[in-house]
Amino acid sequence: MTLADDLIERISGCRRNARGNYFVAYFFLCVAVVASATATISVASGSFPKELNAALAAVPGIILLVTSTFKFEARSGWWWDKYYGLDALYRQLKYEAASESDISKKMTEFLSAHGK
């Protein structure tokens, strides 16, 4: 495997993880909004039993706990930062005629700094 192939594989993984975390964050946000709206409307109309209303009312709090614990949006940002850093190295290798050894050293430094 060449360094360019390694970078492409890492870049692809970063993009996949960034998008996944982004979509999970907004999925939970949508579920919380829908549950809150449904609970409010059902209490006002009396259409659901009180147990279901209570469960629906608890969903936004549970989702807030999950999203604040796992920080999907922040993780997405972290993965995007890694993506852009690796993409810059790939472009240096491919278009700026940088040597593989220089890019390898820069990649080691970047990954070490980004992992902290």
Side-chain angles (χ1 to χ4, degrees):
M1 172 183 276
T2 67
L3 181 59
D5 293 338
D6 183 30
L7 281 168
I8 289 170
E9 187 175 316
R10 289 173 189 260
I11 289 167
S12 176
C14 290
R15 183 176 39 238
R16 182 179 53 254
N17 288 332
R19 285 181 179 166
N21 279 283
Y22 175 83
F23 287 123
V24 167
Y26 282 95
F27 170 76
F28 278 128
L29 175 66
C30 291
V31 169
V33 168
V34 168
S36 179
T38 303
T40 302
I41 292 168
S42 71
V43 166
S45 67
S47 59
F48 292 149
K50 64 181 180 179
E51 294 83 5
L52 183 55
N53 287 335
L56 284 173
V59 168
I62 293 167
I63 288 178
L64 177 63
L65 178 64
V66 168
T67 57
S68 65
T69 301
F70 294 108
K71 301 178 186 337
F72 295 109
E73 198 164 352
R75 286 181 185 206
S76 176
W78 186 89
W79 282 108
W80 281 122
D81 290 344
K82 188 173 180 180
Y83 165 84
Y84 290 124
L86 292 173
D87 186 57
L89 292 173
Y90 176 73
R91 284 183 282 112
Q92 288 176 16
L93 181 64
K94 183 158 177 132
Y95 302 114
E96 297 173 19
S99 71
E100 281 196 357
S101 64
D102 288 341
I103 296 300
S104 178
K105 288 175 189 171
K106 287 181 182 180
M107 187 169 92
T108 301
E109 291 170 8
F110 171 75
L111 292 174
S112 177
H114 192 71
K116 292 183 179 177

